[in-house]
Amino acid sequence: MTDKETKTTTEMPTTYDPKSTEQKWYKYWLEGEFFKAGQRPNAKPYTIVIPPPNVTGMLHIGHAMDFTLQDILIRTKRMQGYDALWLPGTDHAGIATQTKVEQKLRAQGITRYDLGREKFLDQVWEWKDQYANTIHDQWAKMGLSLDYSRERFTLDEGLSKSVKEVFVKLYEKGLIYRGKYIINWDPVARTALSDIEVEHKEVQGHLYHLKYPLKDGSGHITVATTRPETMLGDSAIAVHPKDERYTDMIGKTVLLPIVNREIPIIADEYVDREFGSGAVKITPAHDPNDFEVGLRHQLEQIIVMDDTGTMNHLAGPYEGLDRSDCRKQIVKDLQEQGVLIRIEDHVHQVGHSERTGAVVEPYLSTQWFVKMKPLAERAIEVQKSGKGVNFVPDRFEKVYLNWIENVRDWCISRQLWWGHRIPAWYCESCGELHVAHDDVTVCSKCGSKELRQDDDVLDTWFSSALWPFSTLGWPEETEDLKRYYSTNVLVTGYDIIYFWVARMIFTALEFTDQIPFQDVLMHGLVRDSDGLKMSKSLGNGVDPLEVIEKYGADAMRYMISTGSTPGQDLRFRWERVEQARNFANKIWNASRFALMNLEGFSFEDIDISGDLQTSDRWILHRLNETSRDITRLIDVYDFGETGRVLYNFIWDDLCDWYIEFAKLSLYGEDEVAKKNTKSVLAYVLDRTLRLIHPFMPFITEEIWQHLPHEGNTITLASWPEYNASFENLEAVNEMNMLMGIIRTVRNVRAEVNVPMSKKVELIIKAGDVDVLGIVSRNENYVKRFCNTSSFEVGVDIQAPEKSMTAVVTGAELYLPLAGLIDIAQEIERLEKEVQTLNAEVERVEKKLSNQGFVAKAPAKVIEEETAKMADYSNKRSKVLARIEELRG
C-alpha cells in the first residue's frame, strides 16, 4: 500500500478470518524489511536477543508466551521511534539434540559409534536444519517481528570464534583447569552433567546395615549405606574423632566383605554421629563427600563401574552386571554370608538426568572446570553496588545472589560429539597440553607432530552464556556490538535463572566489562487448567500451532501475554483463548461499522480541532488516559494489567458507548457534527489499533490498512503519546452523568421486564442547575438510549405519585407507573435498594471509624471515602422518601 491510500469498506469481509490474513501480512512485513534494525541511525537503540530455542523439536506453548512478551516490547519500542533490534537465533543444545538423534538411530538399529564421529555429526546437522526450519515456520505463524538478517546459531562460525576466545582467555588466566573430580555422570548419555542439569527426586529406597569384620578378629563395625553395590570400591571406614564408641577402633583394619580387601578405620569430622551407626563407608570414586575425605586421608580411588553404569573388573564376581542388578545380587550374597544385619525403608533424594531421566552416578572422572569464585565475586560486587541487573519481579534478585554466592566450580566438559569441541590438544610424544584458538599441528615443547585434540565438547550453556554479545560480533569490535550492546531486556522463565541468566551476567562482566542486559523479566511457566506442569507423560501439553489453527495467532498472543503478572505461572484455558478471539471479533465488527460510515473519508479529512460534542471530547480524553496507562504499564512489564486496560477501553468505552453515541451524529442531519464525529471516530480507531497492535499484530494491520491512514504499515506507525490538550474533565463528568442515567433506566426496565423496544415516560429531577445543564444539552442521547415517549427535566419537579424511582449521583429519575408495574413490587424493589445502600454506608462508616486506616491512608483516599459516605446517605434518604410516597 502506498502512503495515504485507503481500501474501500466493501473489501473488508463481514467476519474476520485469521487464516486468510496472517500469512499475507507476515510476508508483507518481511518483504518490506519493516523488522530490520539499523534503518534509523539517529534514533536511540533498543535491543532484545531472543532466548534461543533448542533445535530439538517443535516449540511449545511456553515458548509462545516467552516470544510474545518480547514481541510486544519490540513492536512497542519500534513504534515509539527506537532503532529496535530483536535478534533471532537457535541453540545447538548439546546433549538434548544428540540424545534425540541417537534415539532416532536406535530405532534404525544403529548407534553413533557405528557411524563414527563425522558421519554422526552429518546426521545431527540434518536434524538441526529440519527443526530450525520448523522453528522459523512457527515464529512466522506467531507473528514475531524478528530481524532475520542478523540470525545466529550457537554453532555458527562467529559464535565458535567467540567460544574459543573465552575458553583460551579463561585458561590463560588460570580460571579453566583440568582435573580428576567426582562429577555427575549420565550413564545413558555417557556424559558429565553440571549440578543444575540434575533433577533431585524423592525416592523410596532402603538403608542397608552391614557388618565389616575387624582383621584382628576382635569383632566388627557396623555401617549403614543406601548403595551397597559401591562397597566394592570402599577405601576406608570413617568415624567421628569424638565418637567414644569407636575411639579404640581408629587405626585398625577391617576386611571388606565379598572381596576380603583390607581397609583402614579412619577418623574424620565429616561423619554425622547421629546417622545410622555413626560409622560410614568411604568410597572416594563414587561419592562427592567421600572423594573429599579420600583426598584428606590419601585413600585409594577405586572405580568399580564403567561409563554405562556396568560393573567393571574391579567389581570382582559382579563384573558385567548393571549397577541395579549388582545391588540385588550383592544384597542376596551379603544375606547368605551373614553380613547384612537389617534393611530399613529410607526415603531420600536421588539425582536424575534432566535429559535422559537416568539415575545420575557420582563418578570419578577427568574433566574440564571453570573456577567460579573469582567470576562470581565480581558479579556479586556489581549487583550489590546497585549497578547490576534489574530483576522483575525483584524477588528474583535474592534467588540469583543466593546461588552465585554459593556457586561451585562448573564442570564444562561433556562426553559428546555434538557441540563446541574443546580447543585443547595433547602431544602423543611428550604429553604436553596445548590450548589455542587454532588447530595445533606441532608440539611447542618437543616438536612432535603427533597431536590429538580433546574428544570432549563444551557444555551447551558455555556458548549460551556468551549469547548477548557473541551474537553481535564479539570479540570483534563490530558496529552492531558498539550500537546495540548491552541489551535492554532479557525475557525468560524463572526456571533457568541458574542455567543461563547467572552465567550470562558473570561472563559478560568478565569479557565486556558491562552487564549483558539492563532488565531481566522473569515470567512463570504455562501450566494446564488444573495448575499441573505440562509434560509428554501427562499428555497435557498444548501445541501453539493448534491454538493458532483454531482461534488465530492474535487470540493466542493476547491470552498468553495478559493472563498473569510477572513471575507468576499461567494456567492455560481454552475458554480464555475463545474469549480473546471474541475480543478480536468485537474489534473487527466495531471497525467495520466505523468504515461503513467513513466511505470517501480520507486521511486529510481528519480534523479533531472543531467544536466537538460531549461524547467526542470524552472518548478523546479516555483514549489519552488509556495511552498514558498502557505506555506506563508496558514499561514496567505489567502485561496483565495492560490487557485489562485495553479490554475495558475497547469493549466498554469505545464499542459499547462511544460508537453507539456516534450513531446519532452519523445518521443525523447536522453535517458539521457528522464530519466531526467521523474525524474523531477515524482518529480514535486508528490510535486504538496502534495501542493493541503489539498484542494483536495481524488483525490490527488488516483493519488499519482499510482505515484512512498515512504510512505503509501499522508496525511503523507512531505510538500514541499522552496529549494534555485532550484532557477534558467536563466531558468526563457529563458522560458519567449520561451513562449513569441510561444504565439506571435500563436496569429499572430489566427489573420490571419492560423491554427496550417499549417507549417509556422519563422525568428527571436535577439536583442543581449544573446537572440540569448537562441533561438539557445532551437530551438527544437520553431520549434515544432510554427510548422515551416523553421526556421532562427540571430542578423543581415534583415526583409523580405513581412512578418508579431511581437515584443517580446528582439526580432523581421517575418513570410513571401507568400500565408498567405493580406498586407493591416497586416498594419491594426500593426496599432492596435501601438494604444495598445500608450495606455501603455501613462499610464506609467502618473504614472511617478505623483509626488505623485513617492514620495511614492518604488524604485523597479519606476525601474519596467521605464523599462516598455522603453520596450513599443522600441516595438512601431519597429512596426512603420515595417508599413513603408510594405507601401513601
Side-chain angles (χ1 to χ4, degrees):
M1 303 261 352
T2 58
D3 283 7
K4 303 182 184 179
E5 183 182 351
T6 308
K7 293 182 180 181
T8 62
T9 55
T10 52
E11 292 179 72
M12 194 166 165
T14 54
T15 57
Y16 176 58
D17 177 22
K19 290 179 185 176
S20 65
T21 303
E22 293 172 354
Q23 187 175 0
K24 170 185 69 176
W25 288 121
Y26 201 74
K27 183 182 178 190
Y28 175 71
W29 294 331
L30 293 185
E31 289 175 349
E33 297 189 334
F34 303 136
F35 305 154
K36 191 172 182 179
Q39 300 182 76
R40 296 170 173 172
N42 297 321
K44 187 177 180 180
Y46 183 91
T47 315
I48 299 176
V49 290
I50 200 168
N54 297 343
V55 287
T56 48
M58 307 281 281
L59 300 180
H60 53 66
I61 197 70
H63 287 115
M65 177 172 72
D66 187 82
F67 298 155
T68 298
L69 297 181
Q70 294 169 69
D71 198 34
I72 290 168
L73 292 172
I74 212 75
R75 284 181 182 272
T76 302
K77 294 301 178 182
R78 192 182 289 120
M79 295 173 77
Q80 288 174 341
Y82 286 82
D83 178 15
L85 167 61
W86 189 14
L87 190 149
T90 48
D91 196 322
H92 70 281
I95 187 173
T97 304
Q98 179 159 319
T99 300
K100 290 280 188 182
V101 177
E102 289 198 80
Q103 288 172 351
K104 177 185 170 186
L105 292 176
R106 274 199 297 274
Q108 300 169 14
I110 55 176
T111 70
R112 62 171 156 143
Y113 302 102
D114 295 327
L115 293 177
R117 188 169 194 140
E118 295 307 316
K119 288 185 177 179
F120 174 74
L121 289 177
D122 289 342
Q123 292 271 329
V124 188
W125 277 106
E126 285 181 19
W127 175 282
K128 177 264 174 188
D129 290 340
Q130 176 188 344
Y131 282 98
N133 289 334
T134 299
I135 288 168
H136 266 245
D137 291 342
Q138 290 181 288
W139 282 344
K141 285 184 169 62
M142 293 176 196
L144 306 186
S145 59
L146 296 155
D147 183 351
Y148 290 103
S149 69
R150 289 173 165 86
E151 185 174 0
R152 304 305 299 268
F153 176 56
T154 51
L155 272 179
D156 69 28
E157 186 178 344
L159 267 67
S160 293
K161 183 177 181 180
S162 302
V163 167
K164 288 176 183 175
E165 177 74 9
V166 168
F167 188 96
V168 172
K169 283 195 171 180
L170 289 176
Y171 179 78
E172 289 173 349
K173 291 181 73 170
L175 295 177
I176 280 184
Y177 64 92
R178 192 166 183 260
K180 203 172 186 180
Y181 287 88
I182 286 281
I183 46 87
N184 304 300
W185 185 262
D186 182 334
V188 173
R190 293 166 71 180
T191 183
L193 303 173
S194 66
D195 289 345
I196 51 180
E197 290 174 303
V198 178
E199 294 180 329
H200 290 277
K201 301 177 183 178
E202 198 169 80
V203 172
Q204 175 64 60
H206 298 93
L207 194 61
Y208 302 88
H209 294 262
L210 311 174
K211 292 190 296 187
Y212 281 48
L214 292 162
K215 183 186 176 185
D216 62 12
S218 61
H220 68 267
I221 188 168
T222 301
V223 300
T225 179
T226 59
R227 303 190 62 210
E229 70 276 11
T230 63
M231 68 180 290
L232 302 167
D234 287 357
S235 296
I237 299 295
V239 297
H240 195 279
K242 294 182 180 178
D243 192 333
E244 296 179 356
R245 293 173 294 176
Y246 302 115
T247 305
D248 296 339
M249 290 189 182
I250 297 171
K252 287 189 174 185
T253 300
V254 298
L255 296 174
L256 183 62
I258 305 293
V259 292
N260 286 323
R261 180 160 40 83
E262 296 181 15
I263 58 175
I265 298 176
I266 61 172
D268 196 284
E269 291 187 349
Y270 152 72
V271 178
D272 179 0
R273 284 179 281 184
E274 305 303 318
F275 179 76
S277 64
V280 294
K281 67 190 202 65
I282 302 298
T283 318
H286 291 280
D287 182 277
N289 295 313
D290 292 4
F291 174 76
E292 298 295 336
V293 174
L295 291 180
R296 288 195 289 272
H297 296 271
Q298 295 84 48
L299 298 176
E300 187 179 2
Q301 299 168 337
I302 304 168
I303 302 173
V304 296
M305 60 183 78
D306 64 19
D307 62 3
T308 66
T310 301
M311 309 308 290
N312 63 20
H313 67 284
L314 294 177
Y318 306 102
E319 181 180 2
L321 287 180
D322 175 78
R323 55 185 173 160
S324 58
D325 293 332
C326 176
R327 177 180 299 183
K328 295 172 187 174
Q329 187 59 49
I330 206 168
V331 167
K332 183 180 178 183
D333 293 345
L334 290 169
Q335 284 176 319
E336 290 177 355
Q337 293 181 19
V339 174
L340 181 60
I341 301 172
R342 68 181 184 278
I343 303 173
E344 294 176 351
D345 288 338
H346 179 65
V347 176
H348 60 138
Q349 295 287 323
V350 176
H352 291 73
S353 170
E354 182 197 36
R355 295 300 178 190
T356 66
V359 173
V360 169
E361 187 65 44
Y363 197 66
L364 184 64
S365 176
T366 301
Q367 302 286 343
W368 290 90
F369 295 84
V370 173
K371 194 178 292 184
M372 286 301 304
K373 189 174 181 183
L375 298 171
E377 284 173 349
R378 170 83 189 281
I380 294 165
E381 178 190 350
V382 169
Q383 195 65 33
K384 290 188 174 180
S385 72
K387 297 177 182 177
V389 171
N390 174 42
F391 283 87
V392 181
D394 59 7
R395 69 177 183 272
F396 286 106
E397 181 180 35
K398 292 180 181 177
V399 177
Y400 160 71
L401 283 172
N402 181 62
W403 181 77
I404 205 165
E405 285 171 346
N406 296 283
V407 71
R408 300 200 306 175
D409 284 1
W410 174 15
C411 176
I412 55 172
S413 47
R414 298 290 181 270
Q415 289 63 53
L416 304 171
W417 290 348
W418 175 244
H420 292 277
R421 197 164 176 182
I422 290 175
W425 287 260
Y426 308 96
C427 178
E428 300 282 31
S429 300
C430 70
E432 183 71 4
L433 170 63
H434 303 267
V435 170
H437 296 87
D438 303 314
D439 290 359
V440 179
T441 56
V442 179
C443 177
S444 59
K445 183 176 181 181
C446 72
S448 172
K449 293 183 179 181
E450 297 295 318
L451 289 111
R452 172 182 59 84
Q453 186 176 358
D454 197 306
D455 285 327
D456 291 352
V457 300
L458 289 164
D459 178 9
T460 191
W461 296 103
F462 192 92
S463 53
S464 298
L466 320 182
W467 188 251
F469 53 93
S470 63
T471 51
L472 294 169
W474 187 92
E476 305 299 327
E477 278 291 325
T478 64
E479 290 303 313
D480 273 6
L481 185 67
K482 285 187 277 188
R483 180 158 178 76
Y484 299 110
Y485 185 80
S486 67
T487 68
N488 292 80
V489 60
L490 171 77
V491 181
T492 190
Y494 61 65
D495 53 330
I496 58 171
I497 192 168
Y498 311 135
F499 285 96
W500 195 39
V501 178
R503 287 168 172 169
M504 282 190 287
I505 294 172
F506 66 68
T507 308
L509 287 170
E510 175 68 19
F511 289 98
T512 71
D513 205 33
Q514 296 182 67
I515 53 175
F517 24 77
Q518 304 304 312
D519 297 341
V520 55
L521 171 61
M522 312 297 297
H523 60 72
L525 305 177
V526 182
R527 299 181 178 274
D528 72 8
S529 58
D530 295 321
L532 298 174
K533 188 174 180 179
M534 292 183 179
S535 68
K536 287 183 180 178
S537 59
L538 292 174
N540 62 346
V542 174
D543 180 357
L545 295 190
E546 181 187 354
V547 184
I548 292 170
E549 178 69 21
K550 285 185 177 180
Y551 294 105
D554 290 328
M556 181 192 74
R557 288 170 58 110
Y558 188 80
M559 181 267 177
I560 60 177
S561 62
T562 64
S564 68
T565 55
Q568 298 300 311
D569 291 342
L570 167 74
R571 292 194 181 192
F572 183 92
R573 293 187 172 95
W574 283 103
E575 59 268 28
R576 292 199 62 241
V577 188
E578 188 171 352
Q579 289 167 7
R581 191 270 314 276
N582 294 342
F583 183 38
N585 287 342
K586 183 83 168 180
I587 297 168
W588 181 265
N589 292 333
S591 301
R592 284 196 79 255
F593 164 80
L595 286 162
M596 284 189 292
N597 288 278
L598 292 173
E599 285 280 8
F601 203 73
S602 69
F603 179 78
E604 289 81 1
D605 292 331
I606 298 174
D607 179 9
I608 56 174
S609 63
D611 184 16
L612 304 180
Q613 298 188 75
T614 299
S615 59
D616 296 328
R617 290 180 284 118
W618 169 75
I619 197 64
L620 288 171
H621 174 96
R622 286 293 299 121
L623 171 69
N624 202 38
E625 282 187 322
T626 303
S627 301
R628 179 197 62 202
D629 292 345
I630 289 172
T631 302
R632 174 181 57 81
L633 290 166
I634 289 178
D635 282 345
V636 296
Y637 310 112
D638 194 344
F639 301 108
E641 184 64 9
T642 304
R644 187 192 67 79
V645 170
L646 275 169
Y647 186 92
N648 289 345
F649 172 72
I650 293 171
W651 195 289
D652 297 336
D653 296 344
L654 179 58
C655 296
D656 286 357
W657 286 108
Y658 178 70
I659 286 179
E660 291 303 311
F661 274 40
K663 289 177 182 178
L664 269 68
S665 297
L666 294 172
Y667 300 159
E669 301 300 324
D670 186 336
E671 292 302 321
V672 174
K674 186 179 295 187
K675 185 177 185 303
N676 285 343
T677 296
K678 284 184 177 182
S679 290
V680 172
L681 185 57
Y683 181 88
V684 172
L685 184 54
D686 170 273
R687 266 56 183 182
T688 302
L689 291 171
R690 298 185 197 200
L691 289 174
I692 201 166
H693 171 73
F695 294 82
M696 293 182 163
F698 292 114
I699 193 172
T700 50
E701 182 75 89
E702 178 71 18
I703 297 169
W704 191 82
Q705 292 288 357
H706 287 82
L707 275 177
H709 68 269
E710 186 175 40
N712 292 320
T713 173
I714 194 173
T715 64
L716 299 181
S718 61
W719 184 255
E721 300 290 347
Y722 173 80
N723 184 342
S725 68
F726 286 162
E727 286 293 311
N728 199 316
L729 294 178
E730 180 186 358
V732 172
N733 290 334
E734 290 196 16
M735 277 296 290
N736 285 342
M737 168 65 70
L738 297 173
M739 290 188 294
I741 290 170
I742 294 165
R743 281 196 196 99
T744 302
V745 171
R746 287 175 174 175
N747 289 340
V748 170
R749 281 174 170 274
E751 284 184 31
V752 293
N753 295 316
V754 176
M756 282 302 301
S757 58
K758 183 173 183 177
K759 291 185 178 294
V760 296
E761 291 182 59
L762 177 60
I763 302 167
I764 298 179
K765 180 179 181 179
D768 54 43
V769 292
D770 290 335
V771 174
L772 176 63
I774 291 172
V775 178
S776 298
R777 285 193 300 274
N778 296 281
E779 69 175 59
N780 57 329
Y781 293 129
V782 177
K783 290 177 179 178
R784 166 67 180 81
F785 294 107
C786 294
N787 194 17
T788 61
S789 56
S790 66
F791 173 72
E792 182 183 357
V793 60
V795 176
D796 299 322
I797 285 177
Q798 296 297 313
E801 287 188 10
K802 303 287 185 180
S803 67
M804 292 187 67
T805 303
V807 181
V808 297
T809 302
E812 294 177 57
L813 312 181
Y814 308 117
L815 282 80
L817 297 175
L820 290 181
I821 66 161
D822 182 290
I823 291 178
Q825 287 181 344
E826 174 62 0
I827 291 173
E828 185 180 348
R829 184 188 71 79
L830 290 172
E831 285 175 339
K832 287 180 181 177
E833 190 170 340
V834 169
Q835 290 175 4
T836 301
L837 290 167
N838 281 338
E840 292 298 333
V841 169
E842 185 180 347
R843 180 181 63 79
V844 179
E845 278 180 340
K846 282 183 180 178
K847 261 192 180 181
L848 294 175
S849 63
N850 183 333
Q851 293 305 310
F853 170 75
V854 173
K856 293 178 182 178
K860 185 180 179 183
V861 173
I862 301 295
E863 288 174 16
E864 289 173 353
E865 293 299 320
T866 304
K868 283 181 187 176
M869 167 72 83
D871 188 39
Y872 292 141
S873 299
N874 185 39
K875 287 178 180 176
R876 180 176 61 179
S877 298
K878 290 178 178 178
V879 173
L880 287 169
R882 185 60 183 151
I883 290 173
E884 289 304 311
E885 287 176 17
L886 288 173
R887 283 177 174 160

